[in-house]
Every structure is written in structure tokens, then in C-alpha cells.
């Protein structure tokens, strides 16, 4: 619906503009309230909830032409679609088939076929290296050097997987083993719930963000 599309567009913008407070009202009824956040991690918690944030790793790296930073999911936290993959170029939300493809290739050895990682990625790049005229609304972008972007995405995922493995080894060999969680517990259930039920701070209705299918 139109209301849903407006709300999705607002929340995508809010992910990048975390220092800005957002309020969205319809017919006098408040739909979204987001106070200004200290950083992107806090904004992600506001929109998706702490459980989701706890399953993401923050990584950043750069080369001479670009800088990439963002949040990538653990191999154990995957989606049934690409509805939690967001790409921002110079802080603007865009869509890129290259990004989704390279992300899938980077994760293919650690997640099952037909599952998709979560990713909220920010790419800072010289505007001359992108083409935003491939879509009338400029929602899609084409890279003039897709190989360079591919290397950055793969390396970012590699760093996140190294951190995951280090934490896993630490948990297995240096910390007391916790009792196995009841799969019917609230946390286990929340990680398999559709995105439409993720909590949004002081939001009147559940939020549903849709990325690329």
C-alpha cells in the first residue's frame, strides 16, 4: 500500500541519517517515532531490535578508490529472502544487483542454498565511478568498476567471518558452556519471525521493511 511504501522509504532514510529524529503521523495517529541516535548501531536497534543487532558484526575497510563499512550477519542468522539487505552509496539508499550477487558469493560457503545473509552496508565512493541513470527514480546504480566493489564486499565478509570464528572458539574453549536454549523460547522464536514483526521503538504498528526479493 501507499502508506507501507512511505513508511519503508522513511525507515531506509533513517538508517543512514541516524543523527536526525523522525516522526511519522497519519490522520493524527503516530506511526513511527525515532529519536536521534548516537551512531548507526543504535539506530539499527531502534528499528530492528536488540536481538537483530546482536547477530550483526560491524566491519570497515577501504582502498584508494572507496571505503566500505557496515553490519553483516552471522552465518547462523539468515533470511528466506533478501529483505534485509540494504546498500547505501554516499549515504543514499540504492539497489544494485551486483551487490546482492557478490554478497551471495561471499557467503555461499557458510550458509545453506536458498538462504540470504542480512547486510546493512555503506559505500563511500567517487561519484564518477557510479552510474545512477539506469533507473528513472535513480534507485538503482551501476558500478563502473564492479571488480573493485566485489573485492571490498568479499573482504568485508571475510573479516566478519573471522570475527565470528574467533568468538566461537572463545566460547567453546575459554568460557563455561551455557545450557542449551529451549527452541521455543522468545529469543529463538524472534530470530525466525518475519521482518514485519520486528519491534520499532514507540511505533504504533509493526514495521515491515522490504529490500530486494
Amino acid at each position: 500500500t501507499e502508506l507501507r511504501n512511505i513508511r519503508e522509504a522513511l525507515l531506509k532514510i533513517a538508517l543512514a541519517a541516524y543523527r536526525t529524529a523522525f516522526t511519522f503521523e497519519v490522520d493524527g495517529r503516530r506511526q513511527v517515532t525515532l529519536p536521534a541516535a548516537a551512531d548507526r548501531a543504535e539506530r539499527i536497534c531502534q528499528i530492528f531490535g536488540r536481538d537483530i543487532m546482536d547477530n550483526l558484526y560491524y566491519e570497515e575497510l577501504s582502498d584508494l578508490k572507496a571505503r566500505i563499512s557496515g553490519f553483516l550477519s552471522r552465518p547462523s542468522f539468515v533470511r528466506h529472502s533478501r529483505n534485509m539487505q540494504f546498500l547505501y552509496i554516499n549515504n543514499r539508499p540504492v539497489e544494485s544487483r551486483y551487490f546482492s550477487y557478490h554478497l551471495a558469493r561471499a557467503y555461499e560457503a557458510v550458509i545453506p542454498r536458498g538462504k540470504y545473509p542480512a547486510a546493512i552496508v555503506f559505500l563511500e565512493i567517487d561519484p564518477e565511478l557510479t552510474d545512477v541513470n539506469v533507473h528513472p527514480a535513480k534507485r538503482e546504480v551501476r558500478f563502473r568498476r564492479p571488480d573493485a566493489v566485489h573485492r571490498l564486499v568479499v573482504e568485508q565478509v571475510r573479516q566478519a567471518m573471522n570475527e565470528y570464528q574467533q568468538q566461537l572458539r572463545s566460547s567453546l574453549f575459554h568460557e563455561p558452556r551455557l545450557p542449551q536454549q529451549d527452541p521455543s523460547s522468545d529469543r529463538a522464536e524472534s530470530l525466525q519471525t518475519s521482518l514485519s514483526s520486528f519491534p520499532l521503538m514507540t511505533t504504533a504498528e509493526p514495521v515491515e521493511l522490504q529490500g530486494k526479493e
Side-chain angles (χ1 to χ4, degrees):
T1 66
E2 183 178 359
L3 176 59
R4 174 180 170 181
N5 292 337
I6 293 172
R7 188 167 58 177
E8 289 176 0
L10 171 67
L11 294 174
K12 286 180 181 179
I13 294 171
L15 276 171
Y18 60 87
R19 295 189 181 94
T20 302
F22 291 85
T23 300
F24 178 41
E25 294 184 358
V26 178
D27 298 329
R29 184 180 180 184
R30 184 162 296 187
Q31 301 286 324
V32 175
T33 299
L34 291 172
D39 52 32
R40 289 194 175 113
E42 182 179 349
R43 179 51 55 86
I44 290 173
C45 287
Q46 291 175 350
I47 294 176
F48 297 109
R50 170 57 63 180
D51 278 350
I52 301 303
M53 187 63 223
D54 287 345
N55 279 279
L56 303 177
Y57 289 113
Y58 177 80
E59 300 293 342
E60 63 177 76
L61 58 114
S62 60
D63 63 11
L64 295 177
K65 297 291 186 180
R67 177 180 180 272
I68 192 170
S69 63
F71 301 83
L72 300 166
S73 66
R74 298 168 181 257
S76 56
F77 179 69
V78 293
R79 313 292 299 165
H80 295 291
S81 69
R82 297 185 181 91
N83 67 353
M84 203 174 171
Q85 293 182 4
F86 303 99
L87 174 64
Y88 295 79
I89 295 183
N90 298 331
N91 239 28
R92 178 177 180 173
V94 298
E95 297 177 4
S96 169
R97 283 174 288 182
Y98 288 108
F99 170 70
S100 297
Y101 170 76
H102 293 318
L103 194 63
R105 289 290 304 274
Y107 270 91
E108 65 182 355
V110 294
I111 64 175
R113 181 180 296 273
K115 304 294 184 181
Y116 304 91
I120 305 172
V121 173
F122 300 85
L123 178 64
E124 299 173 21
I125 191 170
D126 185 343
E128 294 295 325
L129 299 178
T130 63
D131 181 4
V132 297
N133 295 316
V134 296
H135 190 279
K138 300 186 184 299
R139 288 198 303 265
E140 296 182 18
V141 66
R142 180 181 294 128
F143 298 109
R144 301 190 190 279
R145 289 285 309 280
D147 56 327
V149 176
H150 173 230
R151 287 195 298 270
L152 284 173
V153 171
V154 170
E155 179 62 19
Q156 187 186 30
V157 173
R158 188 188 68 80
Q159 290 185 5
M161 294 305 98
N162 285 343
E163 183 176 349
Y164 170 75
Q165 291 173 356
Q166 290 172 5
Q167 290 187 1
L168 187 61
R169 285 195 294 266
S170 176
S171 174
L172 289 174
F173 298 110
H174 299 290
E175 297 178 3
R177 182 170 296 180
L178 298 176
Q180 187 174 3
Q181 186 178 24
D182 181 354
S184 63
S185 67
D186 291 341
R187 178 172 173 78
E189 182 179 355
S190 67
L191 295 182
Q192 300 183 22
T193 306
S194 66
L195 188 59
S196 62
S197 65
F198 291 161
L200 175 67
M201 181 175 291
T202 62
T203 304
E205 296 180 358
V207 171
E208 184 171 332
L209 273 178
Q210 296 294 330
K212 294 197 68 176
E213 294 295 335

